[in-house]
Amino acid sequence: MLQKNVETPARVEISKKGEKYRLLVNSEEFYIKGAGLEYGNVPALAEHNANSFRTWRTENGQKSAKEVLDEAYKNGIMVTMGIEVGRERHGFDYNNEVIVQNQLEDIKNKVLAIKDHPALLIWGIGNELNLHYKNPKVWDAVNDISKMIHSLDPNHPSTTSLSRLVSKRSGLY
């Protein structure tokens, strides 16, 4: 649970009890009730009993990551903080070790800047990196990013959001 007026990071972990996995925040079970909210109305989300939201990136062009987290904290909400990761479909080359390493260093600085914020829930590494990708090295990079995050921040798990690829033949188009 988000502890108001506490300036220490939340301790977030995944625990298994029997056959069930649970998300724990400060040792209490936490069921995510929220939305994706890049530029949305955080107070309205809180008024509808949400307890969290996710972003797509740390810098959305309107608010810094810290400003997003501060607003969430003020409203009693936690954040899965998205981290922008280069996409092949936008020209990122995972065969170029220099740009991959530069991306890792840039993400490291972003993590260090906000890892102890009390409204931080989870790190979201990239967004729909599986959409139209061809180079499996993207997953090596995601794994390296996750390992780096966990070496710097033992208090928050990481995840990645994938696109559900559909075709016209699937009937889900």
Side-chain angles (χ1 to χ4, degrees):
M1 300 289 172
L2 183 60
Q3 297 176 20
K4 297 285 264 172
N5 303 317
V6 175
E7 296 302 320
T8 59
R11 173 82 176 124
V12 183
E13 58 190 316
I14 298 169
S15 170
K16 185 175 182 184
K17 184 176 182 181
E19 294 299 312
K20 180 182 174 187
Y21 287 92
R22 304 174 309 149
L23 184 65
L24 303 177
V25 176
N26 300 321
S27 300
E28 292 185 36
E29 193 163 352
F30 187 90
Y31 183 80
I32 294 174
K33 298 180 288 186
L37 197 69
E38 186 76 346
Y39 306 106
N41 186 331
V42 175
L45 194 62
E47 288 172 18
H48 286 89
N49 298 316
N51 62 5
S52 64
F53 64 90
R54 74 168 275 230
T55 70
W56 284 255
R57 59 195 58 85
T58 54
E59 304 299 324
N60 66 26
Q62 293 183 11
K63 294 179 183 173
S64 71
K66 184 174 181 322
E67 290 170 323
V68 169
L69 289 165
D70 286 348
E71 183 178 17
Y73 183 72
K74 178 179 152 191
N75 286 279
I77 294 179
M78 298 193 80
V79 178
T80 296
M81 182 56 68
I83 298 171
E84 186 76 20
V85 174
R87 296 175 196 84
E88 261 188 285
R89 67 185 184 271
H90 295 159
F92 196 91
D93 180 5
Y94 280 94
N95 288 318
N96 185 325
E97 293 177 13
V98 171
I99 64 169
V100 171
Q101 184 59 38
N102 289 344
Q103 174 176 257
L104 185 68
E105 287 300 315
D106 180 55
I107 292 170
K108 178 181 179 180
N109 292 330
K110 291 174 180 174
V111 168
L112 287 170
I114 60 173
K115 71 180 184 65
D116 294 327
H117 197 288
L120 181 63
L121 179 64
I122 298 170
W123 294 103
I125 302 170
N127 187 56
E128 298 182 346
L129 297 171
N130 64 321
L131 189 60
H132 307 301
Y133 88 99
K134 293 181 179 55
N135 190 340
K137 288 183 180 180
V138 64
W139 306 119
D140 294 334
V142 169
N143 192 48
D144 290 344
I145 292 165
S146 182
K147 285 179 181 179
M148 177 271 299
I149 288 171
H150 292 289
S151 74
L152 300 172
D153 180 6
N155 292 313
H156 302 97
S158 63
T159 188
T160 190
S161 297
L162 302 177
S163 170
R164 184 178 79 174
L165 300 174
V166 295
S167 68
K168 291 181 182 179
R169 283 189 278 165
S170 71
L172 299 171
Y173 205 95

